[in-house]
Amino acid sequence: MADSGIGAAAICLVHQGRPVWIEGFGMAADRAVDPDTLFSIQSTSKSFAAVAVLLAVQDGLLDLDVPITRYWPEFRVNSRFEATPGDRITLRLLLANRAGFTHEAPIGNNYDPAAPNFAAHVRSISDTWLRFPVGDRYRYSNLGYDLAGHIVERVVGVSYAEWLRRRIFEPLGMRSSTADPRVYLVAANRAAGTHKGYDSIPLVTPLVASGGVWSTARDMAAYAAFLAGRGRWQGRQHLAPELWAEMHSFALGGDYGLGVMRSERAYGKTPLRLLHHRGGGFGFGCNFVYCPEAEIGWAALFNRPALAGYRFGMDLIDKALAGRFGPRTPRLPITSLAPIQLPADRVRALRGHYVGRNVSGTIGATDGKLQFRKDKADSGERLVATAPDEYFAVNVEGETVGYRYYPARDDLPPHLECWEGEASLDYNGGPDDLLGPDRKEWQRYLGSYRVRQWGKPAMDVLVERRHGYLEINGVRLIAETESGLFFTSDGEAVDFRGPTATWRNLVLEPS
């Protein structure tokens, strides 16, 4: 905490349905943090959103697999791939982050200092552009969750925050937890969020479903016991076993289910699945992990979105599992794979620069062997091919992860879909590319911009020409669907058509 500027934190450890350790650390305002200090848990709220939807399914009010236009007939969203994408978007796709949405809305986002009401925020989703065809691939998004939360309140007839209170917080004895600003703003025992470079941070987020829950270590212990218990808590089955299984089925591929991510591990000879969802933003962070096979759960809540906080408890969990099942070993040792020699044309097709959500880098080849070297990294990862479209590498934890190659189509570049969804990659240009159109009218878009967060400059943005294309901070604009409306290699809209330019729905101010 001291090394990372975290002034307040609270943790809980659960085993076999019971809290075995709950403690607060540091100070919240003028009092010591305790198990009942409120923290914003940010994107860990998505776990609650998934459960909220599943409980409405359990009550016969919603269906995971019908178009959301059944519940909101007027809903629209822009897509360059299909005319009426809303007719194909389902709640399952929203909760699995596979509906194609971008991450931020024009009204109410992680950068806007204002806090519009939830309805205004959700309505503005209709002004966004889908990054990919509906159901095509995983991309993490706040908007899908906020849309799902809004559909819940449209159908159940009460606010989303009230639905959480009635169906989750009260039944699980989570007495302090809330998504209602009228409750958490007046709470005396509430931590204040902190963020480097800011004296104050907005207290209210408009992202009610995707990031709006406030909770305590004591309450999160109950929630961890509920999920680690497969929907059962204190002798009662609150969420039907088949719906708990739906949440954790990962049936659409990748490592994101419905409001939960997975990490596949092996301890001794026992395969285990760690289930988790982290959160960070608006001055807070949360690390939430549970393992039903080991009947353990963990939550760490802290008042700064710092890397150290997201590691809180992970060594403890690792040692606990190793002590019970045996030392951790790679679940799929890369030495157990039988590599093939790729043909020269496939090696050439793979070479180039790639971009992803949290990573970018270059795939190159030496003596026919592929390597992915991350930007600004000292070393790279060797890519082992087992088929022309199947590749494997070893991640930072020593685990083998797989990539599947998809060729270019529908104005989308080639793509490497990773088992770890956040590590998936989109082709961003390579040495064998032809020159782009390099239109003279693009000159007026060139230059330096900045993005403000909560009223202060937070991100420098550069639009420049390279290899006959425009690039924005190194990401190529590969399609111009109408004059001034571009789409990047990773599907984001860049719009120069109005008086104010936008990228990912964030305003670009000339600097």
Side-chain angles (χ1 to χ4, degrees), residues 329-340:
T329 57
R331 182 130 181 196
L332 175 66
I334 200 163
T335 54
S336 67
L337 301 175
I340 66 168

Side-chain angles (χ1 to χ4, degrees), residues 424-466:
S424 294
L425 298 165
D426 298 306
Y427 181 80
N428 192 47
D432 300 321
D433 290 355
L434 299 175
L435 285 173
D438 205 14
R439 297 190 175 97
K440 62 181 181 179
E441 59 267 27
W442 292 350
Q443 183 65 33
R444 63 182 181 273
Y445 308 137
L446 302 180
S448 298
Y449 301 82
R450 64 189 173 199
V451 173
R452 290 182 178 270
Q453 184 175 34
W454 310 323
K456 294 180 62 174
M459 184 193 313
D460 294 324
V461 178
L462 178 64
V463 178
E464 58 186 334
R465 294 180 191 265
R466 188 175 296 172

Side-chain angles (χ1 to χ4, degrees), residues 350 352-356 358-365 369-375 377-384 391-394 403 416 423-426:
L350 283 164
H353 188 252
Y354 290 77
V355 292
N358 294 319
V359 64
S360 63
T362 300
I363 293 179
K369 296 179 179 179
L370 294 171
Q371 186 181 58
F372 176 64
R373 185 180 297 276
K374 296 178 182 178
D375 289 342
D378 295 331
S379 60
E381 303 170 356
R382 183 187 171 196
L383 293 177
V384 174
Y391 308 92
F392 297 86
V394 177
Y403 295 83
L416 282 167
S424 294
L425 298 165
D426 298 306

Side-chain angles (χ1 to χ4, degrees), residues 13 90 99 118 142 244 301 340 351 425 472 485:
L13 176 66
T90 65
F118 186 46
N142 281 338
W244 187 96
L301 299 78
I340 66 168
R351 290 189 309 164
L425 298 165
I472 185 164
L485 177 62

Side-chain angles (χ1 to χ4, degrees), residues 12-16 224-225 228 288-291 294-299 317:
C12 65
L13 176 66
V14 173
H15 183 227
Q16 295 180 337
F288 177 58
V289 186
Y290 53 101
C291 179
E295 298 181 277
I296 63 171
W298 167 268
I317 291 171

Side-chain angles (χ1 to χ4, degrees), residues 165-209:
R165 186 187 71 81
R166 293 183 186 182
R167 298 295 280 115
I168 300 178
F169 299 148
E170 282 197 354
L172 297 182
M174 301 174 69
R175 295 181 178 87
S176 300
S177 298
T178 183
D180 189 340
R182 296 173 301 176
V183 177
Y184 63 74
L185 286 178
V186 299
N189 192 6
R190 172 173 56 82
T194 60
H195 194 101
K196 185 178 181 180
Y198 291 84
D199 295 328
S200 63
I201 298 166
L203 286 172
V204 179
T205 173
L207 315 175
V208 175

Side-chain angles (χ1 to χ4, degrees), residues 80-258:
R80 57 191 168 120
F81 308 106
E82 48 199 322
T84 56
D87 293 338
R88 295 184 56 226
I89 296 172
T90 65
L91 284 165
R92 186 186 301 277
L93 293 176
L94 293 179
L95 298 180
N97 283 318
R98 288 183 175 269
F101 285 99
T102 186
H103 193 53
E104 307 286 0
I107 297 176
N109 54 54
N110 282 293
Y111 294 80
D112 190 345
N117 64 50
F118 186 46
H121 162 67
V122 172
R123 284 196 301 271
S124 77
I125 294 175
S126 291
D127 295 326
T128 69
W129 286 85
L130 295 185
R131 296 173 65 183
F132 306 106
V134 174
D136 186 74
R137 64 187 68 170
Y138 166 85
R139 278 300 185 272
Y140 188 79
S141 170
N142 281 338
L143 303 192
Y145 272 81
D146 288 329
L147 184 54
H150 182 64
I151 287 171
V152 166
E153 59 185 13
R154 288 177 67 92
V155 171
V156 304
V158 298
S159 71
Y160 176 77
E162 177 63 14
W163 182 251
L164 291 186
R165 186 187 71 81
R166 293 183 186 182
R167 298 295 280 115
I168 300 178
F169 299 148
E170 282 197 354
L172 297 182
M174 301 174 69
R175 295 181 178 87
S176 300
S177 298
T178 183
D180 189 340
R182 296 173 301 176
V183 177
Y184 63 74
L185 286 178
V186 299
N189 192 6
R190 172 173 56 82
T194 60
H195 194 101
K196 185 178 181 180
Y198 291 84
D199 295 328
S200 63
I201 298 166
L203 286 172
V204 179
T205 173
L207 315 175
V208 175
S210 64
V213 171
W214 287 66
S215 191
T216 69
R218 192 185 307 279
D219 283 0
M220 289 301 292
Y223 190 65
F226 158 72
L227 285 180
R230 302 177 188 273
R232 191 174 184 83
W233 187 73
Q234 292 191 346
R236 180 185 170 194
Q237 193 74 41
H238 291 270
L239 180 64
E242 62 272 19
L243 291 174
W244 187 96
E246 288 271 19
M247 181 177 178
H248 299 87
S249 69
F250 305 94
L252 298 178
D255 62 352
Y256 202 99
L258 306 183

